Amino acid sequence: MSEEHSSERQSGFCSATCSDRASLRKEIGKKEVKTSDVFVTCNLPKRFEHPHWFNGYGCQLSKQHPFYRTSASEYGWFPPGYHSVPSVFFPAGQTFTNRLSAAGMYRNYSLNTGMDPAGYR
């Protein structure tokens, strides 16, 4: 890669295909691939159907110096892709939460018979 192309490269681009303006326009013009186009899916919400909508990951906006990165930050460095999002989704029911919100939290109304702890002397 020549020096003039490397100077045009901006932070925030994860892939080498977006290193210049022409390839960036080409990438933007591509049809967005959904998870259901790649895998057989069942009951997926839109956030899993379009994993390219996820933003805010390290490779997209990190201004941290590479010397100070930890090995734990590697887990969240790249956004999810089609191979890492679930292909089936079965949400949990909200019955317990709905009943708890209607009845209120449990409160103990029993008599406190213990001694108060001695304070500082």
Side-chain angles (χ1 to χ4, degrees), residues 38-117:
V38 181
F39 299 105
V40 176
T41 61
C42 175
N43 196 23
L44 280 186
K46 284 189 176 186
R47 67 180 182 267
F48 295 144
E49 190 68 49
H50 303 276
H52 52 274
W53 288 356
F54 286 92
N55 289 321
Y57 288 85
C59 72
Q60 296 167 335
L61 54 89
S62 179
K63 295 184 180 10
Q64 184 181 21
H65 192 277
F67 183 77
Y68 297 105
R69 276 192 215 137
T70 62
S71 60
S73 70
E74 292 178 17
Y75 292 111
W77 186 251
F78 296 104
Y82 304 106
H83 301 285
S84 60
V85 294
S87 58
V88 294
F89 183 72
F90 300 106
Q94 298 296 316
T95 10
F96 176 78
T97 307
N98 293 339
R99 288 184 182 181
L100 183 64
S101 65
M105 291 293 288
Y106 171 75
R107 183 170 175 191
N108 185 358
Y109 288 101
S110 64
L111 182 62
N112 183 6
T113 58
M115 299 278 293
D116 287 339

Side-chain angles (χ1 to χ4, degrees), residues 5 8 10 17-28:
H5 288 299
E8 292 178 17
Q10 298 176 6
T17 61
C18 296
S19 60
D20 60 355
R21 194 173 297 275
S23 62
L24 175 64
R25 286 192 179 132
K26 184 180 175 184
E27 282 291 317
I28 291 173

